[in-house]
Amino acid sequence: MPWRGLVALVGLVATLGACKDVVSLRDTLDAGDDARVVVTPCDPTAELTTLGVMPDGFEPVALAARAGAVAVVGRSAGDGGGLVFFRAGGRSPTYALGAVPSSVAFDGAYAFVGSRLTDVARFSLDGERLVAPSTRAAYVAAGLPGRAAWALGGELVAWHSGVSAPRRIAALPADVLGLASDEATIFYAQEGAVVGVDSSGREELRAPSGCQSGTPFVDRESFVCVGNGSIFVTSRATRSTAELASGQDRASTVVAARGRVVWRRVRGGRGELVAAPRDGAGEPSPMLDVDTRTPLLAADACGAYVVTGSSLVFVPL
């Protein structure tokens, strides 16, 4: 899912702007539109850390991060699909989904799990399956706590905890590559363009882009995506697109935090997690050897998270 970055990081960095802080988790369940998060500093001494390993028989499909916690969905032996949370205290049990998931979004309080086969599911951090929006989704994104958007079958749907049912806000083209969201705007990528709409479906931004595959990433400054081995950054202020890096073989999902853009590439049969300054003032530099399978990446305001082998690794930025 080259759009990889889309899912994950989206709302947190937008909320924090310069990425010097991270939103800390707190109990916001059933708080509706009154849900709040607390901003606390990132740990400047944080080091590359293995947060844990996947459960036996669990094959990760997608992940999303917020405030030092990570939601991972995947295929799970026996019941078709599962959700696990990773936090500083360890890994949660595997929560059964009942169907193979396609995507996950995480707002710090809830994980929203999309599937082409069954309705979007909403889980609290302790695994409680809450009243779920009754539509299916190929892609799902989350912004502010208790708010989410998803797409399937040519429709963009928005939902928040203060309403009883999701609502259709826009028609989507057939070539949508993925979704991303910040606190106020929902973005989708299609071949050659990035489009942003507000919660009513009104178009706020349309800009040319090199997007061709994978999950995109968005924050208050820019929209980042992958196309034909190149990394593209679209400025939200100027609506101009620049090629950040080319020749990034098998690049797909991309994320960003603390002024850097992060992705996986394959060189000489070896997978590398690499990063480059978002402003283009520097070449991509390797950070970590990873496997060559389709990369699963996410980020929050302090760093990136990558699944390599059966391990989930935090990479400070």
Side-chain angles (χ1 to χ4, degrees):
M1 154 186 130
W3 166 259
R4 184 210 91 156
L6 187 185
V7 161
L9 200 246
V10 137
L12 175 61
V13 177
T15 303
L16 303 178
C19 299
K20 293 182 179 179
D21 300 317
V22 60
V23 175
S24 64
L25 298 173
R26 57 176 295 185
D27 185 8
T28 59
L29 301 182
D30 300 323
D33 290 337
D34 293 328
R36 294 291 183 269
V37 289
V38 178
V39 177
T40 56
C42 293
D43 180 0
T45 65
E47 298 179 348
L48 189 145
T49 305
T50 297
L51 297 181
V53 296
M54 299 299 153
D56 291 342
F58 186 88
E59 181 185 349
V61 170
L63 68 156
R66 186 73 62 93
V70 184
V72 185
V73 294
R75 299 177 181 88
S76 185
D79 61 11
L83 163 70
V84 293
F85 291 104
F86 288 83
R87 290 186 279 178
R91 188 192 74 206
S92 75
T94 302
Y95 304 119
L97 300 175
V100 175
S102 60
S103 59
V104 63
F106 184 41
D107 66 8
Y110 312 102
F112 296 85
V113 182
S115 172
R116 298 174 185 270
L117 303 176
T118 189
D119 293 344
V120 172
R122 182 168 66 112
F123 286 83
S124 67
L125 283 163
D126 61 4
E128 180 184 5
R129 189 168 188 151
L130 304 167
V131 175
S134 56
T135 53
R136 299 177 182 182
Y139 306 107
V140 61
L144 292 172
R147 293 177 179 266
W150 54 90
L152 181 69
E155 292 190 340
L156 179 62
V157 174
W159 178 87
H160 66 85
S161 56
V163 301
S164 58
R167 59 192 177 89
R168 177 187 180 278
I169 61 172
L172 293 177
D175 60 349
V176 167
L177 301 172
L179 289 183
S181 175
D182 67 8
E183 59 189 19
T185 307
I186 303 160
F187 293 83
Y188 63 87
Q190 60 185 117
E191 288 198 19
V194 54
V195 181
V197 300
D198 65 16
S199 59
S200 68
R202 182 177 62 87
E203 188 172 298
E204 292 187 342
L205 178 149
R206 179 178 290 270
S209 173
C211 301
Q212 289 185 332
S213 61
T215 300
F217 163 84
V218 66
D219 62 14
R220 286 182 176 177
E221 297 179 25
S222 57
F223 184 95
V224 187
C225 63
V226 179
N228 196 27
S230 293
I231 312 300
F232 295 95
V233 178
T234 299
S235 167
R236 293 180 61 176
T238 66
R239 305 192 178 192
S240 61
T241 297
E243 185 181 66
L244 182 68
S246 61
Q248 304 300 298
D249 296 343
R250 291 171 59 185
S252 51
T253 304
V254 59
V255 296
R258 302 179 68 81
R260 304 176 80 188
V261 178
V262 181
W263 65 94
R264 193 286 317 265
R265 70 184 180 193
V266 175
R267 289 281 174 87
R270 189 184 72 196
E272 296 178 327
L273 191 69
V274 297
R278 192 189 327 211
D279 61 8
E283 295 295 319
S285 57
M287 304 176 66
L288 177 71
D289 286 345
V290 296
D291 61 41
T292 57
R293 295 178 297 177
T294 300
L296 298 178
L297 282 175
D300 62 18
C302 293
Y305 302 82
V306 58
V307 174
T308 180
S310 61
S311 298
L312 176 65
V313 179
F314 169 71
V315 183
L317 297 175

